[in-house]
Amino acid sequence: MRMSRLKILRLISNVYVEILRGTPILLQLYFFYFLLPDILPALKLSKFACITIALVINSGAYMSEVFRSGIQSIDRGQTEAARSLGLSSRQTMIVLPQAFKNVLPAMCNEFVAVTKETSLASTFYVGDLMTQYQTISGKTYLVIEPLIIIGIIYFVVTFTMSKLITVLERRLKSDD
């Protein structure tokens, strides 16, 4: 019975990952923006909430693959040694700290990608930077200047995130 539950969960997670990685983020944003309020009318989700949920679910699919590859990158002998000591498969996840070190660069890339993907939210006028650009350019008739400012803001945010991750990577390497 337990094995069939695991197979069902594995199937659901594989379908989740493959569909979300195999379809464009803009399509997913449309789907969540228009369909989520109809599916969950009692929650009265705002535009912002629908877009945020879509971005989180999309990023979750990519992050699950990042962590899966990180766990698989750990030498199989460590897991076998833990199993031979009598640890359960859940307890053999003691390899997670090592896997975390391996996936840190890919996690940083995903955080940067999600930050930049928020610009697609302007399609739904939810108040992100690109929506502000549309408002400003409509009032001032300036096109290039607001785009440059928005580009600088995105660069500062993503550059800062990258540098913070680099500091974290160095600290984790010094623990070796």
Side-chain angles (χ1 to χ4, degrees):
M1 185 69 160
R2 185 167 191 252
M3 207 52 163
S4 64
R5 285 185 198 160
L6 287 176
K7 286 182 181 180
I8 290 170
L9 287 175
R10 186 172 288 137
L11 175 69
I12 290 169
S13 67
N14 286 339
V15 168
Y16 160 71
V17 168
E18 294 304 325
I19 287 175
L20 289 167
R21 288 180 59 212
T23 56
I25 182 68
L26 190 56
L27 175 69
Q28 294 167 29
L29 289 170
Y30 273 108
F31 180 84
F32 280 92
Y33 181 80
F34 290 115
L35 203 56
L36 205 55
D38 290 339
I39 294 172
L40 304 169
L43 293 181
K44 296 189 185 345
L45 295 170
S46 67
K47 293 178 181 181
F48 180 79
C50 292
I51 297 302
T52 302
I53 290 168
L55 290 170
V56 166
I57 288 175
N58 176 275
S59 183
Y62 284 93
M63 291 300 284
S64 69
E65 286 297 295
V66 166
F67 276 101
R68 182 191 55 74
S69 66
I71 291 169
Q72 288 180 340
S73 72
I74 302 302
D75 183 18
R76 185 178 216 86
Q78 292 187 34
T79 306
E80 290 172 358
R83 297 289 288 172
S84 70
L85 291 172
L87 297 177
S88 68
S89 54
R90 181 178 287 169
Q91 291 171 324
T92 60
M93 285 294 123
I94 57 173
V95 298
L96 284 179
Q98 294 172 329
F100 181 74
K101 286 181 183 181
N102 293 346
V103 301
L104 205 51
M107 281 177 51
C108 177
N109 288 340
E110 182 58 24
F111 291 147
V112 168
V114 169
T115 301
K116 293 190 293 185
E117 286 168 355
T118 60
S119 67
L120 293 172
S122 67
T123 306
F124 307 97
Y125 302 103
V126 294
D128 71 312
L129 286 173
M130 291 306 291
T131 304
Q132 298 307 317
Y133 158 73
Q134 292 168 345
T135 304
I136 291 169
S137 66
K139 288 182 179 180
T140 64
Y141 300 106
L142 297 173
V143 177
I144 301 300
E145 295 85 350
L147 283 176
I148 291 171
I149 292 169
I150 288 171
I152 290 169
I153 292 169
Y154 273 113
F155 175 77
V156 167
V157 169
T158 57
F159 184 78
T160 303
M161 286 171 49
S162 297
K163 291 304 166 192
L164 289 172
I165 296 291
T166 302
V167 169
L168 183 58
E169 285 176 334
R170 281 193 202 127
R171 285 191 179 171
L172 289 174
K173 282 186 181 182
S174 68
D175 291 344
D176 286 344

